[in-house]
Amino acid sequence: MSIDNTDTAFDVVVNDQGQYSIWPTYRAVPAGWEAVGVQGERQVCLDHIAKVWTDLRTKRLREAMRD
């Protein structure tokens, strides 16, 4: 399987700074990232990220700007 294959399924993952990405389901999610429970074709995952990740600043930056 390849990430360029149209049949590849992906997980939506997020890190501790609130940054989102997609990760192929056939590989283990890397350390520091956690699957959020959304899985499917690349575009389905990217559409989900576009809907939920509206503030692209890192968690650290968002917190610093609140002070």
Side-chain angles (χ1 to χ4, degrees), residues 4 11 16-18 23 25 47 49 52-53 55 58 63 66:
D4 296 322
D11 283 310
D16 65 342
Q17 288 300 308
W23 196 255
T25 58
D47 290 345
I49 291 171
V52 299
W53 192 19
D55 186 346
T58 63
E63 289 172 353
R66 275 193 289 224

Side-chain angles (χ1 to χ4, degrees), residues 1-12 22-27 38-46:
M1 191 73 51
S2 163
I3 63 169
D4 296 322
N5 186 321
T6 57
D7 293 330
T8 299
F10 292 89
D11 283 310
V12 175
I22 60 174
W23 196 255
T25 58
Y26 63 85
R27 300 190 72 188
V38 175
Q39 188 178 81
E41 295 176 349
R42 176 190 305 264
Q43 195 58 54
V44 168
C45 293
L46 293 175

